[in-house]
PDB file of all heavy atoms in Angstrom:
ATOM      1  N   ARG A  28      96.888  92.039  99.109  1.00  0.00           N
ATOM      2  CA  ARG A  28      97.954  91.048  99.069  1.00  0.00           C
ATOM      3  C   ARG A  28      98.856  91.115 100.293  1.00  0.00           C
ATOM      4  O   ARG A  28      99.832  90.372 100.402  1.00  0.00           O
ATOM      5  CB  ARG A  28      98.814  91.256  97.818  1.00  0.00           C
ATOM      6  CG  ARG A  28      98.128  90.940  96.511  1.00  0.00           C
ATOM      7  CD  ARG A  28      99.131  90.859  95.343  1.00  0.00           C
ATOM      8  NE  ARG A  28      99.798  92.158  95.172  1.00  0.00           N
ATOM      9  CZ  ARG A  28      99.393  93.105  94.321  1.00  0.00           C
ATOM     10  NH1 ARG A  28      98.281  92.934  93.615  1.00  0.00           N
ATOM     11  NH2 ARG A  28     100.097  94.221  94.201  1.00  0.00           N
ATOM     12  N   GLY A  29      98.547  92.035 101.201  1.00  0.00           N
ATOM     13  CA  GLY A  29      99.368  92.189 102.393  1.00  0.00           C
ATOM     14  C   GLY A  29     100.422  93.266 102.284  1.00  0.00           C
ATOM     15  O   GLY A  29     101.283  93.371 103.151  1.00  0.00           O
ATOM     16  N   GLY A  30     100.334  94.087 101.244  1.00  0.00           N
ATOM     17  CA  GLY A  30     101.305  95.160 101.055  1.00  0.00           C
ATOM     18  C   GLY A  30     101.186  96.252 102.103  1.00  0.00           C
ATOM     19  O   GLY A  30     100.158  96.378 102.780  1.00  0.00           O
ATOM     20  N   ASP A  31     102.206  97.083 102.193  1.00  0.00           N
ATOM     21  CA  ASP A  31     102.221  98.163 103.168  1.00  0.00           C
ATOM     22  C   ASP A  31     101.149  99.178 102.806  1.00  0.00           C
ATOM     23  O   ASP A  31     101.091  99.684 101.678  1.00  0.00           O
ATOM     24  CB  ASP A  31     103.597  98.828 103.145  1.00  0.00           C
ATOM     25  CG  ASP A  31     103.678  99.952 104.145  1.00  0.00           C
ATOM     26  OD1 ASP A  31     103.771  99.672 105.335  1.00  0.00           O
ATOM     27  OD2 ASP A  31     103.621 101.130 103.727  1.00  0.00           O
ATOM     28  N   VAL A  32     100.291  99.485 103.778  1.00  0.00           N
ATOM     29  CA  VAL A  32      99.149 100.398 103.511  1.00  0.00           C
ATOM     30  C   VAL A  32      99.620 101.792 103.147  1.00  0.00           C
ATOM     31  O   VAL A  32      99.184 102.381 102.185  1.00  0.00           O
ATOM     32  CB  VAL A  32      98.203 100.433 104.738  1.00  0.00           C
ATOM     33  CG1 VAL A  32      97.175 101.550 104.582  1.00  0.00           C
ATOM     34  CG2 VAL A  32      97.532  99.082 104.918  1.00  0.00           C
ATOM     35  N   ALA A  33     100.552 102.326 103.924  1.00  0.00           N
ATOM     36  CA  ALA A  33     101.052 103.672 103.655  1.00  0.00           C
ATOM     37  C   ALA A  33     101.654 103.795 102.283  1.00  0.00           C
ATOM     38  O   ALA A  33     101.440 104.802 101.564  1.00  0.00           O
ATOM     39  CB  ALA A  33     102.048 104.099 104.737  1.00  0.00           C
ATOM     40  N   ALA A  34     102.404 102.784 101.861  1.00  0.00           N
ATOM     41  CA  ALA A  34     103.010 102.822 100.545  1.00  0.00           C
ATOM     42  C   ALA A  34     101.990 102.757  99.452  1.00  0.00           C
ATOM     43  O   ALA A  34     102.093 103.456  98.415  1.00  0.00           O
ATOM     44  CB  ALA A  34     104.022 101.672 100.412  1.00  0.00           C
ATOM     45  N   ALA A  35     100.955 101.936  99.629  1.00  0.00           N
ATOM     46  CA  ALA A  35      99.920 101.847  98.622  1.00  0.00           C
ATOM     47  C   ALA A  35      99.130 103.137  98.494  1.00  0.00           C
ATOM     48  O   ALA A  35      98.794 103.575  97.381  1.00  0.00           O
ATOM     49  CB  ALA A  35      98.956 100.673  98.997  1.00  0.00           C
ATOM     50  N   LEU A  36      98.849 103.787  99.624  1.00  0.00           N
ATOM     51  CA  LEU A  36      98.127 105.062  99.602  1.00  0.00           C
ATOM     52  C   LEU A  36      98.992 106.144  98.952  1.00  0.00           C
ATOM     53  O   LEU A  36      98.478 106.966  98.149  1.00  0.00           O
ATOM     54  CB  LEU A  36      97.729 105.465 101.009  1.00  0.00           C
ATOM     55  CG  LEU A  36      96.779 104.542 101.776  1.00  0.00           C
ATOM     56  CD1 LEU A  36      96.502 105.083 103.157  1.00  0.00           C
ATOM     57  CD2 LEU A  36      95.502 104.316 100.993  1.00  0.00           C
ATOM     58  N   ALA A  37     100.272 106.134  99.256  1.00  0.00           N
ATOM     59  CA  ALA A  37     101.170 107.133  98.676  1.00  0.00           C
ATOM     60  C   ALA A  37     101.265 106.983  97.130  1.00  0.00           C
ATOM     61  O   ALA A  37     101.276 107.954  96.397  1.00  0.00           O
ATOM     62  CB  ALA A  37     102.558 107.056  99.293  1.00  0.00           C
ATOM     63  N   ALA A  38     101.316 105.705  96.697  1.00  0.00           N
ATOM     64  CA  ALA A  38     101.398 105.453  95.265  1.00  0.00           C
ATOM     65  C   ALA A  38     100.141 105.894  94.541  1.00  0.00           C
ATOM     66  O   ALA A  38     100.197 106.496  93.453  1.00  0.00           O
ATOM     67  CB  ALA A  38     101.646 103.964  95.027  1.00  0.00           C
ATOM     68  N   ALA A  39      98.976 105.644  95.150  1.00  0.00           N
ATOM     69  CA  ALA A  39      97.715 106.081  94.543  1.00  0.00           C
ATOM     70  C   ALA A  39      97.653 107.592  94.499  1.00  0.00           C
ATOM     71  O   ALA A  39      97.223 108.185  93.477  1.00  0.00           O
ATOM     72  CB  ALA A  39      96.544 105.528  95.338  1.00  0.00           C
ATOM     73  N   THR A  40      98.067 108.270  95.575  1.00  0.00           N
ATOM     74  CA  THR A  40      98.029 109.721  95.610  1.00  0.00           C
ATOM     75  C   THR A  40      98.973 110.299  94.561  1.00  0.00           C
ATOM     76  O   THR A  40      98.621 111.259  93.854  1.00  0.00           O
ATOM     77  CB  THR A  40      98.455 110.225  97.010  1.00  0.00           C
ATOM     78  OG1 THR A  40      97.543 109.662  97.978  1.00  0.00           O
ATOM     79  CG2 THR A  40      98.416 111.728  97.094  1.00  0.00           C
ATOM     80  N   ALA A  41     100.158 109.725  94.426  1.00  0.00           N
ATOM     81  CA  ALA A  41     101.099 110.184  93.410  1.00  0.00           C
ATOM     82  C   ALA A  41     100.563 110.011  92.000  1.00  0.00           C
ATOM     83  O   ALA A  41     100.739 110.904  91.143  1.00  0.00           O
ATOM     84  CB  ALA A  41     102.440 109.458  93.576  1.00  0.00           C
ATOM     85  N   ARG A  42      99.878 108.908  91.770  1.00  0.00           N
ATOM     86  CA  ARG A  42      99.338 108.687  90.417  1.00  0.00           C
ATOM     87  C   ARG A  42      98.254 109.713  90.091  1.00  0.00           C
ATOM     88  O   ARG A  42      98.183 110.203  88.968  1.00  0.00           O
ATOM     89  CB  ARG A  42      98.788 107.263  90.299  1.00  0.00           C
ATOM     90  CG  ARG A  42      98.292 106.950  88.886  1.00  0.00           C
ATOM     91  CD  ARG A  42      97.972 105.491  88.679  1.00  0.00           C
ATOM     92  NE  ARG A  42      97.478 105.311  87.310  1.00  0.00           N
ATOM     93  CZ  ARG A  42      96.994 104.185  86.854  1.00  0.00           C
ATOM     94  NH1 ARG A  42      96.963 103.114  87.638  1.00  0.00           N
ATOM     95  NH2 ARG A  42      96.558 104.094  85.588  1.00  0.00           N
ATOM     96  N   LEU A  43      97.441 110.017  91.077  1.00  0.00           N
ATOM     97  CA  LEU A  43      96.386 111.044  90.836  1.00  0.00           C
ATOM     98  C   LEU A  43      97.012 112.401  90.574  1.00  0.00           C
ATOM     99  O   LEU A  43      96.573 113.123  89.672  1.00  0.00           O
ATOM    100  CB  LEU A  43      95.457 111.108  92.025  1.00  0.00           C
ATOM    101  CG  LEU A  43      94.589 109.885  92.315  1.00  0.00           C
ATOM    102  CD1 LEU A  43      93.761 110.074  93.586  1.00  0.00           C
ATOM    103  CD2 LEU A  43      93.674 109.563  91.127  1.00  0.00           C
ATOM    104  N   ALA A  44      98.033 112.753  91.363  1.00  0.00           N
ATOM    105  CA  ALA A  44      98.697 114.054  91.151  1.00  0.00           C
ATOM    106  C   ALA A  44      99.340 114.125  89.798  1.00  0.00           C
ATOM    107  O   ALA A  44      99.241 115.163  89.104  1.00  0.00           O
ATOM    108  CB  ALA A  44      99.721 114.264  92.245  1.00  0.00           C
ATOM    109  N   GLU A  45      99.985 113.046  89.382  1.00  0.00           N
ATOM    110  CA  GLU A  45     100.641 113.035  88.065  1.00  0.00           C
ATOM    111  C   GLU A  45      99.604 113.176  86.923  1.00  0.00           C
ATOM    112  O   GLU A  45      99.903 113.818  85.894  1.00  0.00           O
ATOM    113  CB  GLU A  45     101.397 111.718  87.904  1.00  0.00           C
ATOM    114  CG  GLU A  45     102.153 111.617  86.589  1.00  0.00           C
ATOM    115  CD  GLU A  45     102.913 110.302  86.454  1.00  0.00           C
ATOM    116  OE1 GLU A  45     102.866 109.494  87.417  1.00  0.00           O
ATOM    117  OE2 GLU A  45     103.579 110.092  85.430  1.00  0.00           O
ATOM    118  N   ALA A  46      98.392 112.656  87.120  1.00  0.00           N
ATOM    119  CA  ALA A  46      97.341 112.735  86.103  1.00  0.00           C
ATOM    120  C   ALA A  46      96.743 114.134  86.047  1.00  0.00           C
ATOM    121  O   ALA A  46      96.046 114.445  85.090  1.00  0.00           O
ATOM    122  CB  ALA A  46      96.269 111.710  86.376  1.00  0.00           C
ATOM    123  N   GLY A  47      96.951 114.957  87.088  1.00  0.00           N
ATOM    124  CA  GLY A  47      96.434 116.318  87.069  1.00  0.00           C
ATOM    125  C   GLY A  47      95.317 116.598  88.081  1.00  0.00           C
ATOM    126  O   GLY A  47      94.743 117.675  88.049  1.00  0.00           O
ATOM    127  N   PHE A  48      95.065 115.671  88.977  1.00  0.00           N
ATOM    128  CA  PHE A  48      94.077 115.927  90.042  1.00  0.00           C
ATOM    129  C   PHE A  48      94.690 116.913  91.049  1.00  0.00           C
ATOM    130  O   PHE A  48      95.795 116.690  91.522  1.00  0.00           O
ATOM    131  CB  PHE A  48      93.696 114.626  90.744  1.00  0.00           C
ATOM    132  CG  PHE A  48      92.801 113.725  89.974  1.00  0.00           C
ATOM    133  CD1 PHE A  48      93.304 112.852  89.005  1.00  0.00           C
ATOM    134  CD2 PHE A  48      91.410 113.731  90.195  1.00  0.00           C
ATOM    135  CE1 PHE A  48      92.475 111.999  88.311  1.00  0.00           C
ATOM    136  CE2 PHE A  48      90.583 112.890  89.504  1.00  0.00           C
ATOM    137  CZ  PHE A  48      91.112 112.013  88.554  1.00  0.00           C
ATOM    138  N   ASP A  49      93.967 117.964  91.335  1.00  0.00           N
ATOM    139  CA  ASP A  49      94.474 118.966  92.263  1.00  0.00           C
ATOM    140  C   ASP A  49      93.338 119.910  92.682  1.00  0.00           C
ATOM    141  O   ASP A  49      92.699 120.491  91.836  1.00  0.00           O
ATOM    142  CB  ASP A  49      95.596 119.789  91.606  1.00  0.00           C
ATOM    143  CG  ASP A  49      96.208 120.829  92.517  1.00  0.00           C
ATOM    144  OD1 ASP A  49      96.379 120.496  93.711  1.00  0.00           O
ATOM    145  OD2 ASP A  49      96.499 121.944  92.052  1.00  0.00           O
ATOM    146  N   PRO A  50      93.053 119.991  94.009  1.00  0.00           N
ATOM    147  CA  PRO A  50      93.737 119.307  95.095  1.00  0.00           C
ATOM    148  C   PRO A  50      93.238 117.855  95.258  1.00  0.00           C
ATOM    149  O   PRO A  50      92.166 117.514  94.777  1.00  0.00           O
ATOM    150  CB  PRO A  50      93.375 120.128  96.315  1.00  0.00           C
ATOM    151  CG  PRO A  50      92.006 120.665  95.992  1.00  0.00           C
ATOM    152  CD  PRO A  50      92.049 120.948  94.504  1.00  0.00           C
ATOM    153  N   ILE A  51      94.037 117.073  95.960  1.00  0.00           N
ATOM    154  CA  ILE A  51      93.625 115.728  96.359  1.00  0.00           C
ATOM    155  C   ILE A  51      93.228 115.838  97.847  1.00  0.00           C
ATOM    156  O   ILE A  51      94.095 116.041  98.698  1.00  0.00           O
ATOM    157  CB  ILE A  51      94.745 114.709  96.139  1.00  0.00           C
ATOM    158  CG1 ILE A  51      95.117 114.673  94.650  1.00  0.00           C
ATOM    159  CG2 ILE A  51      94.323 113.336  96.637  1.00  0.00           C
ATOM    160  CD1 ILE A  51      96.399 113.899  94.372  1.00  0.00           C
ATOM    161  N   ASP A  52      91.951 115.755  98.133  1.00  0.00           N
ATOM    162  CA  ASP A  52      91.505 115.966  99.508  1.00  0.00           C
ATOM    163  C   ASP A  52      91.933 114.812 100.427  1.00  0.00           C
ATOM    164  O   ASP A  52      92.343 115.045 101.549  1.00  0.00           O
ATOM    165  CB  ASP A  52      89.989 116.118  99.547  1.00  0.00           C
ATOM    166  CG  ASP A  52      89.513 117.455  98.986  1.00  0.00           C
ATOM    167  OD1 ASP A  52      90.322 118.394  98.969  1.00  0.00           O
ATOM    168  OD2 ASP A  52      88.311 117.565  98.577  1.00  0.00           O
ATOM    169  N   TYR A  53      91.797 113.579  99.926  1.00  0.00           N
ATOM    170  CA  TYR A  53      92.214 112.448 100.745  1.00  0.00           C
ATOM    171  C   TYR A  53      92.260 111.187  99.900  1.00  0.00           C
ATOM    172  O   TYR A  53      91.513 111.034  98.888  1.00  0.00           O
ATOM    173  CB  TYR A  53      91.292 112.243 101.931  1.00  0.00           C
ATOM    174  CG  TYR A  53      89.831 112.058 101.591  1.00  0.00           C
ATOM    175  CD1 TYR A  53      89.303 110.835 101.210  1.00  0.00           C
ATOM    176  CD2 TYR A  53      88.954 113.137 101.693  1.00  0.00           C
ATOM    177  CE1 TYR A  53      87.967 110.684 100.892  1.00  0.00           C
ATOM    178  CE2 TYR A  53      87.610 113.005 101.379  1.00  0.00           C
ATOM    179  CZ  TYR A  53      87.142 111.771 100.985  1.00  0.00           C
ATOM    180  OH  TYR A  53      85.798 111.647 100.664  1.00  0.00           O
ATOM    181  N   VAL A  54      93.169 110.311 100.229  1.00  0.00           N
ATOM    182  CA  VAL A  54      93.180 108.910  99.800  1.00  0.00           C
ATOM    183  C   VAL A  54      93.464 108.137 101.075  1.00  0.00           C
ATOM    184  O   VAL A  54      94.545 108.303 101.678  1.00  0.00           O
ATOM    185  CB  VAL A  54      94.250 108.620  98.723  1.00  0.00           C
ATOM    186  CG1 VAL A  54      94.220 107.133  98.366  1.00  0.00           C
ATOM    187  CG2 VAL A  54      94.032 109.492  97.484  1.00  0.00           C
ATOM    188  N   ALA A  55      92.548 107.292 101.530  1.00  0.00           N
ATOM    189  CA  ALA A  55      92.688 106.707 102.844  1.00  0.00           C
ATOM    190  C   ALA A  55      92.095 105.303 102.878  1.00  0.00           C
ATOM    191  O   ALA A  55      91.129 104.975 102.156  1.00  0.00           O
ATOM    192  CB  ALA A  55      91.994 107.566 103.899  1.00  0.00           C
ATOM    193  N   LEU A  56      92.628 104.476 103.773  1.00  0.00           N
ATOM    194  CA  LEU A  56      92.039 103.160 104.082  1.00  0.00           C
ATOM    195  C   LEU A  56      91.341 103.344 105.421  1.00  0.00           C
ATOM    196  O   LEU A  56      91.937 103.800 106.403  1.00  0.00           O
ATOM    197  CB  LEU A  56      93.098 102.089 104.172  1.00  0.00           C
ATOM    198  CG  LEU A  56      92.564 100.672 104.442  1.00  0.00           C
ATOM    199  CD1 LEU A  56      91.817 100.147 103.227  1.00  0.00           C
ATOM    200  CD2 LEU A  56      93.711  99.744 104.817  1.00  0.00           C
ATOM    201  N   VAL A  57      90.064 102.995 105.490  1.00  0.00           N
ATOM    202  CA  VAL A  57      89.281 103.229 106.708  1.00  0.00           C
ATOM    203  C   VAL A  57      88.507 101.983 107.105  1.00  0.00           C
ATOM    204  O   VAL A  57      88.177 101.126 106.262  1.00  0.00           O
ATOM    205  CB  VAL A  57      88.280 104.411 106.505  1.00  0.00           C
ATOM    206  CG1 VAL A  57      89.029 105.687 106.125  1.00  0.00           C
ATOM    207  CG2 VAL A  57      87.241 104.097 105.437  1.00  0.00           C
ATOM    208  N   ASP A  58      88.156 101.923 108.376  1.00  0.00           N
ATOM    209  CA  ASP A  58      87.244 100.904 108.887  1.00  0.00           C
ATOM    210  C   ASP A  58      85.891 101.132 108.217  1.00  0.00           C
ATOM    211  O   ASP A  58      85.390 102.260 108.197  1.00  0.00           O
ATOM    212  CB  ASP A  58      87.175 101.012 110.384  1.00  0.00           C
ATOM    213  CG  ASP A  58      86.214  99.977 110.997  1.00  0.00           C
ATOM    214  OD1 ASP A  58      84.980 100.213 110.944  1.00  0.00           O
ATOM    215  OD2 ASP A  58      86.703  98.988 111.504  1.00  0.00           O
ATOM    216  N   ALA A  59      85.292 100.086 107.710  1.00  0.00           N
ATOM    217  CA  ALA A  59      84.058 100.226 106.929  1.00  0.00           C
ATOM    218  C   ALA A  59      82.886 100.690 107.764  1.00  0.00           C
ATOM    219  O   ALA A  59      81.937 101.255 107.185  1.00  0.00           O
ATOM    220  CB  ALA A  59      83.720  98.907 106.229  1.00  0.00           C
ATOM    221  N   ALA A  60      82.929 100.511 109.040  1.00  0.00           N
ATOM    222  CA  ALA A  60      81.804 100.926 109.902  1.00  0.00           C
ATOM    223  C   ALA A  60      82.028 102.325 110.516  1.00  0.00           C
ATOM    224  O   ALA A  60      81.143 103.186 110.493  1.00  0.00           O
ATOM    225  CB  ALA A  60      81.578  99.907 111.019  1.00  0.00           C
ATOM    226  N   THR A  61      83.234 102.543 111.050  1.00  0.00           N
ATOM    227  CA  THR A  61      83.480 103.794 111.766  1.00  0.00           C
ATOM    228  C   THR A  61      84.085 104.871 110.888  1.00  0.00           C
ATOM    229  O   THR A  61      84.088 106.041 111.252  1.00  0.00           O
ATOM    230  CB  THR A  61      84.425 103.568 112.953  1.00  0.00           C
ATOM    231  OG1 THR A  61      85.728 103.200 112.456  1.00  0.00           O
ATOM    232  CG2 THR A  61      83.890 102.462 113.862  1.00  0.00           C
ATOM    233  N   LEU A  62      84.678 104.504 109.746  1.00  0.00           N
ATOM    234  CA  LEU A  62      85.423 105.388 108.859  1.00  0.00           C
ATOM    235  C   LEU A  62      86.669 105.977 109.495  1.00  0.00           C
ATOM    236  O   LEU A  62      87.214 106.941 108.977  1.00  0.00           O
ATOM    237  CB  LEU A  62      84.516 106.491 108.309  1.00  0.00           C
ATOM    238  CG  LEU A  62      83.844 106.136 106.959  1.00  0.00           C
ATOM    239  CD1 LEU A  62      82.796 105.048 107.175  1.00  0.00           C
ATOM    240  CD2 LEU A  62      83.211 107.335 106.315  1.00  0.00           C
ATOM    241  N   GLU A  63      87.135 105.373 110.567  1.00  0.00           N
ATOM    242  CA  GLU A  63      88.418 105.770 111.153  1.00  0.00           C
ATOM    243  C   GLU A  63      89.534 105.193 110.301  1.00  0.00           C
ATOM    244  O   GLU A  63      89.442 104.089 109.779  1.00  0.00           O
ATOM    245  CB  GLU A  63      88.540 105.277 112.575  1.00  0.00           C
ATOM    246  CG  GLU A  63      87.636 106.010 113.561  1.00  0.00           C
ATOM    247  CD  GLU A  63      88.003 107.471 113.668  1.00  0.00           C
ATOM    248  OE1 GLU A  63      89.194 107.786 113.974  1.00  0.00           O
ATOM    249  OE2 GLU A  63      87.126 108.321 113.443  1.00  0.00           O
TER     250      GLU A  63
END
């Protein structure tokens, strides 16, 4: 929807941590070809 990427990633990470995921290795938005 055009939302801030960093905020969306932080919210997803926080939700996983609250549910009990630990450690969280990564939550990231990447280029589909290069994975950067």
Side-chain angles (χ1 to χ4, degrees):
R28 291 193 299 268
D31 181 75
V32 170
L36 298 180
T40 302
R42 183 169 179 187
L43 293 177
E45 182 180 359
F48 286 83
D49 183 38
I51 300 168
D52 288 338
Y53 55 83
V54 178
L56 183 70
V57 301
D58 180 280
T61 66
L62 269 69
E63 288 297 304

